[in-house]
Amino acid sequence: MTEESELPASMGRVSRRELALQGLTRLDQFDGASEKHLLSIHGVGPKAIRILREHLEAAGKRLSP
């Protein structure tokens, strides 16, 4: 992974790596993203979604169901 990621380290290495492989490395890219789609990505589970949701809400953004 050559691009630096803004994703929270608390999500876990596998989740961050797999999201980066999808081109998702910045929190603003997740605003309005589908939880269902994100959960379909290998390595992304409920914990990663919860952490993303918390960080997005703190920034005034959100995931869609």
Side-chain angles (χ1 to χ4, degrees):
M1 206 168 18
T2 58
E3 188 175 339
E4 192 168 324
S5 177
E6 290 181 356
L7 301 181
S10 57
M11 284 178 59
R13 187 172 46 95
V14 174
S15 294
R16 288 182 288 125
R17 180 188 69 222
E18 295 300 323
L19 289 167
L21 289 172
Q22 300 288 319
L24 301 168
T25 58
R26 296 184 329 269
L27 282 175
D28 64 338
Q29 293 174 299
F30 292 91
D31 189 26
S34 162
E35 286 185 24
K36 183 177 179 178
H37 169 72
L38 294 173
L39 285 168
S40 73
I41 298 171
H42 170 78
V44 178
K47 178 182 175 186
I49 296 298
R50 178 182 50 79
I51 293 167
L52 271 175
R53 190 181 308 118
E54 290 170 357
H55 281 80
L56 286 168
E57 287 175 0
K61 300 176 181 357
R62 65 185 196 98
L63 294 172
S64 68

Coordinates of all heavy atoms in Angstrom, one line a residue:
M1 N 0.8 -1.2 0.0 CA 0.0 0.0 0.0 C 0.9 1.2 0.0 O 1.6 1.5 0.9 CB -0.9 -0.1 1.3 CG -2.1 0.6 1.2 SD -3.3 0.3 2.6 CE -2.4 -0.4 3.9
T2 N 0.8 2.0 -1.1 CA 1.7 3.2 -1.1 C 1.0 4.4 -0.6 O 1.7 5.4 -0.2 CB 2.2 3.4 -2.6 OG1 1.0 3.6 -3.4 CG2 3.0 2.3 -3.1
E3 N -0.3 4.5 -0.7 CA -1.0 5.7 -0.3 C -1.3 5.6 1.2 O -1.7 4.6 1.7 CB -2.4 5.7 -1.0 CG -3.1 7.0 -0.8 CD -4.4 7.1 -1.6 OE1 -4.5 6.4 -2.6 OE2 -5.3 7.8 -1.2
E4 N -1.0 6.7 1.9 CA -1.3 6.8 3.3 C -2.8 6.8 3.6 O -3.5 7.5 2.9 CB -0.6 8.0 3.9 CG -0.6 7.9 5.4 CD 0.3 9.0 6.0 OE1 1.4 9.3 5.4 OE2 0.0 9.5 7.1
S5 N -3.2 6.1 4.6 CA -4.6 5.9 5.0 C -4.9 6.8 6.1 O -4.2 6.9 7.1 CB -4.9 4.5 5.3 OG -6.2 4.3 5.7
E6 N -6.1 7.4 6.1 CA -6.7 8.2 7.2 C -7.6 7.3 8.1 O -8.1 7.8 9.0 CB -7.6 9.3 6.6 CG -7.0 10.4 5.9 CD -8.0 11.5 5.5 OE1 -9.2 11.3 5.7 OE2 -7.6 12.5 5.0
L7 N -7.8 6.1 7.7 CA -8.7 5.3 8.4 C -8.2 5.0 9.8 O -7.0 4.8 10.0 CB -8.9 4.0 7.7 CG -9.5 4.1 6.3 CD1 -9.7 2.8 5.6 CD2 -10.8 4.9 6.3
P8 N -9.1 4.9 10.8 CA -8.6 4.7 12.2 C -7.9 3.3 12.4 O -8.4 2.3 11.9 CB -10.0 4.6 12.9 CG -11.0 5.2 12.0 CD -10.5 5.0 10.7
A9 N -6.8 3.4 13.0 CA -6.0 2.2 13.3 C -6.8 1.2 14.1 O -6.6 0.0 14.0 CB -4.7 2.5 14.0
S10 N -7.8 1.6 14.9 CA -8.6 0.7 15.7 C -9.4 -0.2 14.9 O -10.0 -1.2 15.4 CB -9.4 1.5 16.7 OG -10.3 2.4 16.0
M11 N -9.6 0.1 13.6 CA -10.4 -0.8 12.7 C -9.7 -2.1 12.5 O -10.3 -3.1 12.1 CB -10.6 -0.2 11.3 CG -11.6 0.9 11.3 SD -11.7 1.7 9.7 CE -12.2 0.3 8.7
G12 N -8.4 -2.1 12.6 CA -7.6 -3.3 12.3 C -6.9 -3.3 11.0 O -7.4 -2.7 10.0
R13 N -5.8 -4.0 10.9 CA -4.9 -3.9 9.7 C -5.6 -4.5 8.5 O -5.5 -4.0 7.4 CB -3.6 -4.7 10.0 CG -2.6 -4.6 8.9 CD -1.3 -5.2 9.4 NE -1.4 -6.5 10.0 CZ -1.3 -7.6 9.4 NH1 -1.0 -7.7 8.1 NH2 -1.4 -8.8 10.1
V14 N -6.3 -5.7 8.7 CA -6.9 -6.3 7.5 C -8.0 -5.5 6.9 O -8.1 -5.3 5.7 CB -7.4 -7.7 7.9 CG1 -8.2 -8.4 6.7 CG2 -6.3 -8.6 8.3
S15 N -8.9 -4.9 7.8 CA -9.9 -4.0 7.3 C -9.4 -2.9 6.5 O -9.8 -2.5 5.4 CB -10.8 -3.5 8.4 OG -11.5 -4.6 9.1
R16 N -8.4 -2.2 7.1 CA -7.8 -1.0 6.4 C -7.2 -1.4 5.1 O -7.3 -0.7 4.1 CB -6.8 -0.3 7.4 CG -7.5 0.4 8.5 CD -6.6 1.2 9.4 NE -5.8 0.2 10.2 CZ -4.5 0.2 10.3 NH1 -3.8 1.0 9.6 NH2 -3.9 -0.8 11.0
R17 N -6.5 -2.5 5.1 CA -5.8 -3.0 3.9 C -6.8 -3.3 2.8 O -6.7 -2.8 1.6 CB -4.9 -4.2 4.1 CG -4.2 -4.7 2.9 CD -3.5 -6.0 3.1 NE -4.5 -7.1 3.2 CZ -4.4 -8.0 4.1 NH1 -3.4 -8.1 5.0 NH2 -5.4 -8.9 4.2
E18 N -7.9 -4.0 3.1 CA -8.8 -4.4 2.1 C -9.6 -3.2 1.6 O -10.0 -3.1 0.4 CB -9.8 -5.5 2.7 CG -9.1 -6.8 3.0 CD -8.5 -7.4 1.8 OE1 -9.0 -7.4 0.7 OE2 -7.4 -8.0 1.9
L19 N -9.9 -2.2 2.5 CA -10.6 -1.0 2.0 C -9.7 -0.2 1.1 O -10.1 0.3 0.1 CB -11.1 -0.2 3.2 CG -12.2 -0.8 4.0 CD1 -12.4 -0.1 5.3 CD2 -13.5 -0.8 3.2
A20 N -8.4 -0.2 1.4 CA -7.4 0.6 0.6 C -7.3 -0.1 -0.8 O -7.2 0.6 -1.8 CB -6.1 0.6 1.3
L21 N -7.4 -1.4 -0.8 CA -7.4 -2.1 -2.1 C -8.6 -1.7 -3.0 O -8.5 -1.8 -4.2 CB -7.3 -3.6 -2.0 CG -6.0 -4.2 -1.4 CD1 -6.1 -5.6 -1.1 CD2 -4.9 -3.9 -2.4
Q22 N -9.7 -1.3 -2.3 CA -10.9 -0.8 -3.0 C -10.8 0.7 -3.3 O -11.7 1.3 -3.9 CB -12.1 -1.1 -2.2 CG -12.4 -2.5 -1.9 CD -12.8 -3.3 -3.1 OE1 -13.6 -2.8 -3.9 NE2 -12.3 -4.5 -3.3
G23 N -9.6 1.3 -3.0 CA -9.5 2.7 -3.2 C -10.0 3.6 -2.1 O -10.2 4.8 -2.3
L24 N -10.4 3.0 -1.0 CA -11.0 3.7 0.1 C -10.0 4.0 1.3 O -9.7 3.1 2.0 CB -12.2 3.0 0.7 CG -13.3 2.7 -0.4 CD1 -14.3 1.7 0.2 CD2 -14.0 4.0 -0.7
T25 N -9.4 5.2 1.3 CA -8.4 5.5 2.3 C -8.7 6.7 3.1 O -8.0 7.0 4.1 CB -7.0 5.7 1.6 OG1 -7.2 6.7 0.7 CG2 -6.6 4.4 0.9
R26 N -9.8 7.5 2.7 CA -10.1 8.7 3.4 C -11.5 8.6 4.0 O -12.4 8.1 3.3 CB -10.0 9.9 2.5 CG -8.6 10.2 2.0 CD -8.6 11.4 1.1 NE -9.8 11.8 0.4 CZ -10.1 11.3 -0.8 NH1 -9.2 10.5 -1.5 NH2 -11.2 11.7 -1.4
L27 N -11.8 9.1 5.2 CA -13.1 9.0 5.8 C -14.2 9.7 4.9 O -15.3 9.2 4.9 CB -13.1 9.7 7.2 CG -12.5 8.8 8.3 CD1 -12.4 9.6 9.6 CD2 -13.2 7.5 8.5
D28 N -13.9 10.8 4.3 CA -14.9 11.5 3.5 C -15.4 10.6 2.3 O -16.5 10.8 1.8 CB -14.4 12.8 2.9 CG -13.2 12.7 2.0 OD1 -12.5 11.7 2.0 OD2 -13.0 13.7 1.2
Q29 N -14.6 9.6 1.9 CA -15.1 8.7 0.9 C -16.2 7.7 1.3 O -16.9 7.1 0.5 CB -13.9 7.8 0.4 CG -12.8 8.6 -0.3 CD -11.7 7.7 -0.7 OE1 -11.0 7.2 0.2 NE2 -11.4 7.6 -1.9
F30 N -16.4 7.7 2.6 CA -17.5 6.8 3.2 C -18.8 7.5 3.4 O -19.8 6.8 3.7 CB -17.0 6.1 4.5 CG -15.8 5.2 4.3 CD1 -14.5 5.6 4.3 CD2 -16.1 3.9 4.0 CE1 -13.5 4.7 4.1 CE2 -15.0 3.0 3.8 CZ -13.7 3.4 3.9
D31 N -18.8 8.8 3.3 CA -20.1 9.5 3.5 C -21.2 9.0 2.6 O -21.0 9.1 1.4 CB -19.9 11.0 3.4 CG -21.1 11.8 3.8 OD1 -21.8 11.3 4.7 OD2 -21.3 12.9 3.3
G32 N -22.2 8.4 3.1 CA -23.3 7.9 2.3 C -23.1 6.5 1.8 O -23.9 5.9 1.1
A33 N -21.9 5.9 2.0 CA -21.6 4.6 1.6 C -22.5 3.5 2.2 O -22.9 3.7 3.3 CB -20.1 4.2 1.8
S34 N -22.8 2.5 1.5 CA -23.7 1.4 2.0 C -23.0 0.5 2.9 O -21.9 -0.1 2.6 CB -24.2 0.6 0.8 OG -24.7 -0.6 1.2
E35 N -23.5 0.3 4.1 CA -23.0 -0.6 5.1 C -23.0 -2.0 4.5 O -22.1 -2.8 4.7 CB -23.8 -0.6 6.4 CG -23.6 0.6 7.2 CD -24.3 0.5 8.6 OE1 -24.6 -0.6 9.0 OE2 -24.6 1.5 9.1
K36 N -24.1 -2.4 3.8 CA -24.2 -3.7 3.2 C -23.0 -3.9 2.2 O -22.4 -5.0 2.2 CB -25.5 -3.8 2.5 CG -25.8 -5.2 1.9 CD -27.2 -5.3 1.3 CE -27.4 -6.6 0.7 NZ -28.7 -6.7 0.1
H37 N -22.7 -2.9 1.4 CA -21.6 -3.1 0.4 C -20.3 -3.2 1.2 O -19.5 -4.1 0.8 CB -21.6 -1.9 -0.5 CG -20.3 -1.9 -1.3 ND1 -20.1 -2.8 -2.4 CD2 -19.2 -1.1 -1.3 CE1 -18.9 -2.5 -2.9 NE2 -18.3 -1.5 -2.2
L38 N -20.1 -2.4 2.2 CA -18.8 -2.5 2.9 C -18.6 -3.8 3.6 O -17.5 -4.3 3.6 CB -18.7 -1.3 3.9 CG -18.7 0.1 3.3 CD1 -18.8 1.1 4.4 CD2 -17.4 0.3 2.5
L39 N -19.7 -4.3 4.1 CA -19.6 -5.7 4.8 C -19.3 -6.8 3.8 O -18.9 -7.8 4.2 CB -20.9 -5.9 5.5 CG -21.1 -5.2 6.8 CD1 -22.6 -5.3 7.3 CD2 -20.1 -5.7 7.9
S40 N -19.6 -6.5 2.5 CA -19.3 -7.6 1.5 C -17.8 -7.6 1.1 O -17.4 -8.6 0.5 CB -20.1 -7.3 0.2 OG -19.7 -6.2 -0.5
I41 N -17.1 -6.6 1.6 CA -15.6 -6.6 1.3 C -14.9 -7.5 2.3 O -15.1 -7.4 3.5 CB -15.1 -5.2 1.4 CG1 -15.8 -4.3 0.4 CG2 -13.6 -5.1 1.2 CD1 -15.5 -2.8 0.5
H42 N -14.1 -8.4 1.8 CA -13.3 -9.3 2.7 C -12.6 -8.5 3.8 O -12.0 -7.5 3.5 CB -12.3 -10.1 1.8 CG -11.3 -10.9 2.7 ND1 -11.7 -12.1 3.2 CD2 -10.1 -10.6 3.0 CE1 -10.6 -12.5 3.9 NE2 -9.7 -11.7 3.8
G43 N -12.7 -9.0 5.0 CA -12.0 -8.4 6.1 C -12.7 -7.3 6.8 O -12.3 -6.8 7.8
V44 N -13.8 -6.8 6.2 CA -14.6 -5.8 6.8 C -15.8 -6.4 7.5 O -16.7 -7.0 6.9 CB -15.1 -4.7 5.8 CG1 -15.9 -3.6 6.4 CG2 -13.9 -4.1 5.1
G45 N -15.8 -6.2 8.9 CA -16.9 -6.8 9.6 C -17.6 -5.8 10.5 O -17.4 -4.6 10.3
P46 N -18.5 -6.2 11.3 CA -19.3 -5.3 12.2 C -18.5 -4.3 13.0 O -18.8 -3.2 13.2 CB -20.1 -6.2 13.1 CG -20.2 -7.5 12.3 CD -18.9 -7.6 11.6
K47 N -17.3 -4.8 13.5 CA -16.5 -3.9 14.3 C -15.9 -2.8 13.5 O -16.0 -1.6 13.9 CB -15.3 -4.7 14.9 CG -14.4 -3.8 15.7 CD -13.2 -4.6 16.2 CE -12.2 -3.6 16.9 NZ -11.0 -4.3 17.3
A48 N -15.5 -3.1 12.3 CA -15.0 -2.0 11.4 C -16.1 -1.0 11.0 O -15.9 0.2 11.0 CB -14.4 -2.6 10.1
I49 N -17.3 -1.5 10.8 CA -18.4 -0.7 10.4 C -18.8 0.2 11.6 O -19.0 1.4 11.5 CB -19.7 -1.5 10.0 CG1 -19.4 -2.3 8.8 CG2 -20.9 -0.6 9.9 CD1 -19.1 -1.5 7.5
R50 N -18.8 -0.3 12.8 CA -19.1 0.5 14.0 C -18.0 1.6 14.2 O -18.4 2.7 14.5 CB -19.1 -0.4 15.3 CG -19.3 0.3 16.6 CD -19.3 -0.5 17.8 NE -18.1 -1.4 17.9 CZ -16.9 -1.0 18.3 NH1 -16.7 0.3 18.7 NH2 -15.9 -1.8 18.4
I51 N -16.8 1.3 14.0 CA -15.7 2.3 14.2 C -15.8 3.4 13.1 O -15.7 4.5 13.4 CB -14.3 1.6 14.1 CG1 -14.2 0.7 15.4 CG2 -13.2 2.6 14.0 CD1 -13.0 -0.2 15.4
L52 N -16.1 2.9 11.9 CA -16.3 3.9 10.8 C -17.5 4.8 11.1 O -17.4 6.0 10.9 CB -16.6 3.2 9.5 CG -15.4 2.8 8.6 CD1 -15.9 2.0 7.4 CD2 -14.7 4.0 8.2
R53 N -18.6 4.2 11.5 CA -19.8 5.0 11.8 C -19.5 6.0 12.9 O -19.9 7.2 12.8 CB -20.9 4.0 12.3 CG -22.3 4.7 12.4 CD -23.4 3.8 12.9 NE -23.5 2.6 12.1 CZ -23.3 1.3 12.6 NH1 -23.1 1.2 13.9 NH2 -23.5 0.3 11.9
E54 N -18.8 5.6 14.0 CA -18.5 6.6 15.1 C -17.6 7.7 14.6 O -17.9 8.9 14.9 CB -17.7 5.8 16.2 CG -18.6 4.9 17.0 CD -17.8 4.0 17.9 OE1 -16.6 4.0 17.9 OE2 -18.5 3.2 18.6
H55 N -16.6 7.4 13.7 CA -15.7 8.5 13.2 C -16.5 9.4 12.2 O -16.3 10.6 12.2 CB -14.5 7.9 12.6 CG -13.5 7.5 13.6 ND1 -13.5 6.3 14.3 CD2 -12.4 8.1 14.0 CE1 -12.5 6.3 15.2 NE2 -11.8 7.3 15.0
L56 N -17.3 8.8 11.4 CA -18.1 9.6 10.5 C -19.1 10.5 11.2 O -19.2 11.7 10.8 CB -18.8 8.7 9.5 CG -18.0 8.0 8.4 CD1 -18.7 7.0 7.7 CD2 -17.4 9.1 7.4
E57 N -19.8 10.0 12.2 CA -20.7 10.8 12.9 C -20.1 12.0 13.6 O -20.6 13.1 13.7 CB -21.5 9.9 13.9 CG -22.5 9.0 13.2 CD -23.2 8.1 14.2 OE1 -22.9 8.1 15.4 OE2 -24.1 7.3 13.7
A58 N -18.8 11.8 14.1 CA -18.1 12.8 14.8 C -17.8 13.9 13.8 O -17.6 15.1 14.1 CB -16.8 12.3 15.4
A59 N -17.7 13.6 12.5 CA -17.4 14.6 11.4 C -18.6 15.1 10.7 O -18.6 15.7 9.7 CB -16.4 13.9 10.4
G60 N -19.8 14.7 11.3 CA -21.1 15.1 10.7 C -21.5 14.4 9.4 O -22.2 14.9 8.6
K61 N -20.9 13.2 9.2 CA -21.2 12.3 8.1 C -21.8 11.0 8.5 O -21.9 10.8 9.7 CB -19.9 12.1 7.3 CG -19.3 13.4 6.8 CD -18.0 13.1 6.1 CE -17.2 14.2 5.5 NZ -17.6 15.5 5.5
R62 N -22.3 10.2 7.6 CA -22.9 8.9 8.0 C -22.8 7.9 6.9 O -22.7 8.2 5.7 CB -24.3 9.1 8.5 CG -25.2 9.6 7.4 CD -26.6 9.8 8.0 NE -27.6 9.9 6.9 CZ -28.4 8.9 6.6 NH1 -28.3 7.7 7.2 NH2 -29.2 9.0 5.6
L63 N -23.0 6.7 7.3 CA -23.1 5.5 6.3 C -24.6 5.4 6.0 O -25.5 5.7 6.8 CB -22.6 4.2 6.9 CG -21.1 4.2 7.2 CD1 -20.8 2.9 8.0 CD2 -20.3 4.2 5.9
S64 N -24.9 4.8 4.9 CA -26.3 4.4 4.6 C -26.5 2.9 5.0 O -25.5 2.2 4.9 CB -26.7 4.7 3.2 OG -26.0 3.9 2.3
P65 N -27.7 2.5 5.3 CA -27.9 1.1 5.6 C -27.6 0.1 4.5 O -27.4 0.4 3.4 CB -29.4 1.0 6.0 CG -29.9 2.4 6.1 CD -28.9 3.3 5.4

